[in-house]
Amino acid sequence: MAVSAIKNTANRVQQAFYNVMPNFVAGKKADKFYKASGREISSAENRLILGVTALMSQPFIDFYNRKIDEDTRRVAVCRTVAKIIAGTLTGYAVRKGTIKGMQMCSQLPGKGVPRWKTLFTPKDVKKIDTDEFKQYQNALGTYISLGVMVFTNFLIDAPLTKFLTNKFNEKVVEKKSGGTK
């Protein structure tokens, strides 16, 4: 009886959510939100948002997986948290760094601006408005970061994930055994 009531309540909440979604997904306010967030949120901030969201959901999925034993579940949670933290930190740092690098190397030409600071500046720069130019710098930094991350995945992410997994697992085992290993 209680399970049926919970399922009915969940179904009603789900239906209410679906009824509201079309108003959020389409319309003038939604379009304004999408355009503003597309202009203001770079791929680095996007990676940070994804990492925080993953950290708030994925470990719980592993923790409540009843198909595996408790020790495997514990290690899975530690590994998931470590992967999310390592991936988010390196992904954010690499993206932010390459975007900043592109901003340094794609400045508008002018008096006193060294040539290396205009290395990635488009040739026809007079026709570019500041918002469009900022988007160009963000996109170029993001593309370059994808190439850099091919290497950082093996050089930083994997070792950091292993290190964090071991540290988290040690802490969980230590806490479970009452402070002694």
Side-chain angles (χ1 to χ4, degrees):
M1 183 72 179
V3 173
S4 177
I6 292 172
K7 281 185 179 180
N8 288 338
T9 303
N11 287 337
R12 278 188 255 135
V13 169
Q14 186 178 18
Q15 188 59 49
F17 177 76
Y18 289 143
N19 291 342
V20 171
M21 280 308 287
N23 297 329
F24 176 74
V25 174
K28 290 181 183 179
K29 286 183 180 180
D31 287 345
K32 186 177 177 182
F33 170 77
Y34 296 142
K35 287 178 184 175
S37 62
R39 275 192 312 271
E40 299 301 321
I41 298 175
S42 74
S43 65
E45 286 88 16
N46 191 8
R47 181 62 184 105
L48 201 57
I49 292 167
L50 288 173
V52 169
T53 304
L55 197 56
M56 293 186 317
S57 60
Q58 290 179 357
F60 297 102
I61 294 168
D62 287 341
F63 184 75
Y64 289 106
N65 182 358
R66 293 187 179 139
K67 294 180 182 178
I68 56 177
D69 63 286
E70 186 179 334
D71 289 337
T72 307
R73 197 177 323 152
R74 181 192 74 240
V75 173
V77 170
C78 292
R79 183 155 177 80
T80 298
V81 171
K83 279 176 148 178
I84 293 168
I85 291 172
T88 300
L89 289 177
T90 57
Y92 175 79
V94 169
R95 285 175 176 93
K96 196 67 165 177
T98 55
I99 289 171
K100 289 290 183 190
M102 287 305 103
Q103 289 170 347
M104 281 178 41
C105 295
S106 64
Q107 295 181 10
L108 296 173
K111 205 172 198 174
V113 178
R115 185 171 173 187
W116 70 269
K117 287 190 173 187
T118 62
L119 190 62
F120 293 105
T121 305
K123 300 227 186 293
D124 194 15
V125 76
K126 292 178 179 30
K127 292 185 178 181
I128 296 178
D129 66 31
T130 55
D131 187 47
E132 209 174 281
F133 192 60
K134 180 182 173 190
Q135 292 302 313
Y136 163 79
Q137 291 171 325
N138 284 343
L140 190 57
T142 299
Y143 291 136
I144 291 173
S145 72
L146 292 175
V148 171
M149 285 187 286
V150 167
F151 300 100
T152 61
N153 281 342
F154 299 105
L155 298 174
I156 299 171
D157 279 6
L160 184 58
T161 298
K162 183 178 179 182
F163 173 78
L164 289 174
T165 299
N166 292 338
K167 285 293 178 188
F168 294 155
N169 200 29
E170 285 174 17
K171 291 287 183 188
V172 170
V173 168
E174 185 178 308
K175 189 172 185 171
K176 188 177 177 183
S177 64
T180 59
K181 283 190 179 181

